[in-house]
Amino acid sequence: MSKTGRTGFSLSVVAIGNAEETVPIDDLLDDVRSNYPGYEYNALPLHDVFRMIPDDATLQDLVPGPATGNDQSNKQQLARLINSLTSATARADVLSTLRTRLIVEHAKSTGCQSILWGDSTTTLAEKTLAETCKGRGFSLPWQVADGKSPFGLYFHYPLRDVLKKELVSYMDLTEPVLSSLVHEPSPGATQASTSSKNTTIDDLMKQYFESVEENFPSIVSNVVRTSGKLQVLESTDADLRCGLCDMPVPGSRFGIHGWGGYQQDSIETSAVASKNICYGCTRSLPQPTTTTSSR
Amino acid sequence: MPPSICAVCNTNRALILRPKDHSKLCKPCFINVFETEIHHTIISTNLFTRGERIAIGASGGKDSTVLASVLKTLNERYDYGLDLILLSIDEGIKGYRDDSLETVKRNAEQYDMPLTILGYAELYGWTMDQVVEQVGKKGNCTYCGVFRRQALDRGASRLGVKHVVTGHNADDVAETVLMNLLRGDLPRLSRTTSIVTSTPSLTPSSGPVADNTNIKRSKPLKYAYEKEIVLYAHHKQLDYFSTECIYSPEAFRGSARALIKNLERVRPSAILDVVRSGEDMARLVPGSDEGCGGACGSSAALPAEEEEGGCGSAVGKSMASVESQLAANDRAVEHNLETEITLKPAKPTQPPSTASSKGQKKPRAERTGGPRKKGPNKQVMGQCKKCGYLSSQDVCKACVLLEGLNKNRPKNKIEVGYEVQDVSLNSVRDELEAATLAAEG
């Protein structure tokens, strides 16, 4: 490190398990550690997000059910939160948000300055359109651009100029071959699902950009460059934050009510707007039913 | 199982599953909810003022027909005090536009609104049938989109109307947001999501142009789903024309449209979610000084340039051509094949305000590139030297296209005579005859 005359940096690798705990992150991390022994490694289950944010009451409030469950374990709280969501898109959305928060909290607690995300050009383009379609256009600058994040850390995307298919080629070309270290999801995961109930918006964008990448790779990188040009407004630090994704909401325009698309509801359910949840997260969380539905 | 009960009145049988939120409604409640939502959109954005004269851009299709019906209903029910008229543009496409205009004529009788029909032949001397003969089917949508936008504004200006409403719905807006993201067009994002845009008056005036001479353009159906518009038209038994344009291959828009339909299937609210994201992203576009991103209405109308939605879009390129252009740009940057030539701008331009970067500097995305661009260049709107229309260049696009067409005009003249439907357009005919004589001379 001292040969270059620059200050070296130490790397801390973190792996997050999925909600069902079907991915063997400990074994995978052991394989990576044997190849690259110089780094620090951590494997965290996803439900640790409830442990690492103890003073944040808003995350606890999102878990439905009786409030008497003070002795509820983090795992049970996560299970109850996920089970209360009504669609596959909502579940995937909340899980992704919690994963991001867990990584951020872990980076803070270990004294990291920056987070290096592994997103490629294709993944960033998928995320750009997926977040747009979930109503989170306001937070795109923090989700896809390099620079300071609203959490006090710096976000960087070193692979932002590399397409996913180029990554796959690289894995097979290196010595030793890296493909054995990569955990592959189930082979049929990216196939077009005929049932729309189990398809999520993220799956849809993944299918879309995998087809676009084959024929029109420049459009993929163009999407990432476009979203990278969006700039954060200067009044961001004063804005209130969403209780779930912790993003600053410009103008504190929380919830889906009171906006042009849903003017009619604003009178009836204005009391529900006391929770500070952004538009996109409000879409994923279940709506408290104030009307007696007779369906 | 027993039949479902309407979620609103809890009395009648629910016959309609609402596309927007999948609530079950009976027919009268659906019609009332649909109309009330549009009313709230109009009120919350201060779209209209009392006594205003409104021209409804009528094409005979479902969107403009529903728009005319709803505006008439709301104008009477809530006493907006508006003077509503119908304004149609005849592109001169046989077998398509002449049939749809018959529908508009019937609508004018049903709704008791005066109708004005303005044709490309009167304004430009060319019908779309003739344009297609000249340039082929490949790029004719560019001509039609450019001509139609100007025609609607010129028609409104001649009639003394300051406000034109169009039937663009939420699906159109969401589709355009996604398309602009795919094409990397940030400046258009603000105009796409704004519910009101305006165009400076066509009348050339010495001295500064006053604000009241601008022609506003608004979209009251901006938050209405396309499926609900069809349901509303069906249950109110509205008379509309539903054939697509016979000349329009729209591969790029088709890609965004297919994506929108897939999204709607996965999550019904995704269309409005995209509209909301588009409004939020409009604030994040550097150089954009529109604070509310289109959420509030007429207090700060944006200058309009390109038409959003509908057929005949001027920006309808195919996916392959955009890809080849972007790939060529990347290749040029990579090998330093291009040298940036700095030209003096034709009109003085204020440099876009660059936000000061705090803390750690961002790593450069392109190491071998030339000087970094400071975000998208903001367009400066002026007036065309020839016709006085809004343009960021000296000569507007319609005049450029018209000049190109006229140069290649065949020697044999093709006489196309369209009847002017309104006597108030005699002055337009006289001006066109004078222009024709000048062109021939």
Side-chain angles (χ1 to χ4, degrees):
Chain A
M1 290 298 176
S2 59
K3 293 179 181 177
T4 63
R6 291 194 204 170
T7 306
F9 59 89
S10 61
L11 206 60
S12 173
V13 180
V14 61
I16 309 293
N18 61 344
E20 300 85 16
E21 299 197 340
T22 54
V23 180
I25 52 175
D26 293 317
D27 297 339
L28 288 168
L29 221 52
D30 285 342
D31 290 342
V32 180
R33 185 186 285 112
S34 62
N35 280 47
Y36 307 102
Y39 302 132
E40 175 192 340
Y41 291 89
N42 288 275
L44 304 173
L46 184 56
H47 55 75
D48 263 9
V49 67
F50 288 99
R51 171 177 63 85
M52 302 200 73
I53 316 179
D55 52 351
D56 191 356
T58 56
L59 200 61
Q60 311 282 339
D61 290 343
L62 300 179
V63 181
T68 61
N70 283 332
D71 56 342
Q72 289 280 313
S73 71
N74 298 328
K75 192 170 177 179
Q76 286 168 339
Q77 291 193 72
L78 179 66
R80 288 212 339 255
L81 174 58
I82 298 302
N83 289 334
S84 69
L85 305 177
T86 56
S87 70
T89 292
R91 286 190 286 272
D93 186 50
V94 171
L95 287 171
S96 171
T97 302
L98 294 178
R99 185 183 307 118
T100 302
R101 290 200 72 177
L102 177 54
I103 293 172
V104 168
E105 293 302 321
H106 175 75
K108 281 182 184 175
S109 64
T110 54
C112 297
Q113 282 181 337
S114 302
I115 297 177
L116 305 184
W117 302 94
D119 297 83
S120 63
T121 304
T122 314
T123 317
L124 288 178
E126 289 165 17
K127 193 193 286 186
T128 297
L129 257 70
E131 296 302 310
T132 300
C133 298
K134 293 180 206 161
R136 282 208 194 82
F138 72 96
S139 62
L140 268 183
W142 297 297
Q143 308 215 40
V144 296
D146 288 335
K148 191 166 188 179
S149 73
F151 313 109
L153 300 171
Y154 290 92
F155 279 7
H156 294 299
Y157 299 88
L159 300 175
R160 68 182 301 115
D161 289 329
V162 184
L163 292 167
K164 185 185 288 182
K165 59 181 184 180
E166 293 170 338
L167 286 180
V168 174
S169 303
Y170 179 82
M171 287 195 304
D172 295 331
L173 292 175
T174 54
E175 289 294 339
V177 175
L178 291 173
S179 48
S180 59
L181 298 177
V182 177
H183 173 72
E184 291 289 344
S186 53
T190 58
Q191 297 303 313
S193 171
T194 52
S195 170
S196 64
K197 285 183 179 177
N198 292 320
T199 306
T200 67
I201 288 180
D202 303 276
D203 292 338
L204 195 63
M205 289 307 163
K206 191 169 188 170
Q207 296 162 30
Y208 180 76
F209 274 105
E210 282 183 354
S211 63
V212 169
E213 186 185 2
E214 288 302 316
N215 305 303
F216 313 111
S218 287
I219 287 181
V220 180
S221 49
N222 192 42
V223 170
V224 177
R225 273 201 306 269
T226 301
S227 52
K229 289 176 187 169
L230 297 172
Q231 287 177 5
V232 178
L233 300 174
E234 292 301 321
S235 62
T236 300
D237 296 331
D239 286 324
L240 299 179
R241 292 168 170 235
C242 173
L244 176 54
C245 63
D246 205 25
M247 291 288 185
V249 178
S252 300
R253 300 201 301 152
F254 292 107
I256 63 176
H257 307 295
W259 171 64
Y262 287 94
Q263 284 287 330
Q264 194 184 10
D265 308 296
S266 61
I267 308 169
E268 306 163 4
T269 59
S270 59
V272 192
S274 57
K275 283 186 179 179
N276 286 352
I277 308 294
C278 72
Y279 180 93
C281 292
T282 307
R283 275 293 180 214
S284 293
L285 296 173
Q287 295 296 305
T289 52
T290 54
T291 58
T292 55
S293 173
S294 60
R295 64 179 71 176
Chain B
M1 56 184 295
S4 308
I5 301 298
C6 174
V8 169
C9 63
N10 289 304
T11 305
N12 301 325
R13 272 193 63 186
L15 300 174
I16 297 167
L17 185 71
R18 214 181 155 197
K20 187 177 261 184
D21 51 17
H22 283 186
S23 59
K24 292 167 180 150
L25 305 174
C26 62
K27 176 173 158 183
C29 285
F30 168 73
I31 289 175
N32 189 66
V33 162
F34 183 84
E35 290 167 353
T36 307
E37 275 189 8
I38 296 173
H39 169 65
H40 282 299
T41 299
I42 291 168
I43 296 301
S44 65
T45 55
N46 297 307
L47 225 54
F48 305 131
T49 55
R50 172 166 284 276
E52 200 172 15
R53 196 162 183 227
I54 308 288
I56 301 172
S59 63
K62 64 185 186 302
D63 294 323
S64 55
T65 301
V66 165
L67 178 61
S69 169
V70 169
L71 283 187
K72 179 181 168 61
T73 302
L74 298 182
N75 196 30
E76 292 166 357
R77 181 184 299 169
Y78 298 105
D79 191 27
Y80 293 158
L82 303 175
D83 182 12
L84 300 170
I85 66 171
L86 294 174
L87 175 57
S88 288
I89 304 299
D90 182 0
E91 294 96 353
I93 304 174
K94 255 189 203 319
Y96 165 68
R97 186 52 81 194
D98 44 355
D99 292 336
S100 67
L101 286 177
E102 290 301 318
T103 309
V104 182
K105 289 171 187 172
R106 290 198 298 273
N107 289 348
E109 291 171 10
Q110 293 157 10
Y111 305 145
D112 193 27
M113 295 178 189
L115 166 64
T116 301
I117 300 180
L118 202 54
Y120 280 7
E122 289 107 316
L123 289 172
Y124 306 112
W126 289 78
T127 61
M128 279 311 295
D129 286 340
Q130 293 167 343
V131 171
V132 170
E133 277 183 38
Q134 186 97 319
V135 307
K137 289 194 176 182
K138 188 96 177 182
N140 73 94
C141 292
T142 302
Y143 290 82
C144 191
V146 170
F147 285 169
R148 191 230 314 275
R149 157 144 224 112
Q150 201 187 75
L152 212 48
D153 280 341
R154 284 171 70 172
S157 178
R158 291 293 183 256
L159 295 173
V161 173
K162 300 296 181 189
H163 200 151
V164 176
V165 292
T166 56
H168 294 110
N169 53 51
D171 297 48
D172 297 328
V173 177
E175 186 184 301
T176 311
V177 168
L178 290 189
M179 208 171 63
N180 287 335
L181 265 181
L182 289 169
R183 296 185 316 116
D185 199 329
L186 284 186
R188 193 165 285 140
L189 203 57
S190 304
R191 298 189 292 267
T192 293
T193 53
S194 183
I195 197 168
V196 183
T197 53
S198 77
T199 308
S201 174
L202 175 60
T203 311
S205 64
S206 57
V209 178
D211 270 345
N212 52 18
T213 62
N214 288 344
I215 296 175
K216 288 161 65 177
R217 178 84 67 105
S218 62
K219 299 172 271 194
L221 300 182
K222 180 190 171 186
Y223 301 115
Y225 275 38
E226 186 173 21
K227 282 183 181 174
E228 297 197 353
I229 287 169
V230 176
L231 280 172
Y232 182 86
H234 169 73
H235 287 291
K236 289 207 81 173
Q237 295 164 36
L238 302 183
D239 180 9
Y240 66 90
F241 190 76
S242 56
T243 307
E244 294 294 330
C245 177
I246 60 181
Y247 288 144
S248 65
E250 289 288 322
F252 201 57
R253 180 168 289 274
S255 175
R257 174 163 284 272
L259 194 54
I260 282 282
K261 293 307 166 189
N262 283 332
L263 281 163
E264 192 181 9
R265 200 174 302 120
V266 170
R267 179 148 95 171
S269 69
I271 288 175
L272 272 184
D273 298 344
V274 174
V275 174
R276 166 69 182 239
S277 283
E279 289 179 0
D280 289 337
M281 282 190 283
R283 307 170 177 209
L284 306 173
V285 175
S288 154
D289 51 5
E290 301 95 16
C292 54
C296 64
S298 56
S299 57
L302 300 169
E305 181 188 306
E306 297 287 342
E307 181 172 352
E308 313 97 351
C311 64
S313 173
V315 297
K317 297 183 188 175
S318 70
M319 201 90 155
S321 66
V322 174
E323 162 69 19
S324 56
Q325 186 182 355
L326 292 171
N329 289 345
D330 288 345
R331 233 176 287 119
V333 168
E334 189 174 335
H335 298 101
N336 279 322
L337 298 178
E338 287 177 356
T339 305
E340 182 171 329
I341 302 174
T342 306
L343 283 176
K344 271 194 171 183
K347 302 184 177 183
T349 307
Q350 289 187 353
S353 61
T354 308
S356 60
S357 59
K358 300 173 181 176
Q360 183 176 337
K361 277 204 169 184
K362 298 182 180 181
R364 287 157 57 98
E366 299 171 344
R367 303 218 166 268
T368 59
R372 290 179 67 88
K373 282 194 171 183
K374 294 185 175 180
N377 294 321
K378 192 170 184 180
Q379 290 160 327
V380 180
M381 291 306 171
Q383 279 195 330
C384 174
K385 286 182 176 176
K386 290 196 170 184
C387 65
Y389 191 72
L390 168 89
S391 177
S392 56
Q393 314 292 326
D394 279 348
V395 181
C396 70
K397 198 165 185 182
C399 289
V400 170
L401 296 177
L402 205 54
E403 193 172 335
L405 284 173
N406 282 329
K407 277 180 180 175
N408 301 309
R409 185 145 211 176
K411 298 303 177 184
N412 302 318
K413 295 205 70 178
I414 302 174
E415 284 290 335
V416 180
Y418 283 90
E419 286 187 32
V420 178
Q421 300 291 321
D422 198 312
V423 294
S424 67
L425 291 180
N426 282 339
S427 59
V428 179
R429 178 190 288 271
D430 294 335
E431 288 186 30
L432 284 174
E433 285 175 355
T436 306
L437 291 175
E440 288 175 345

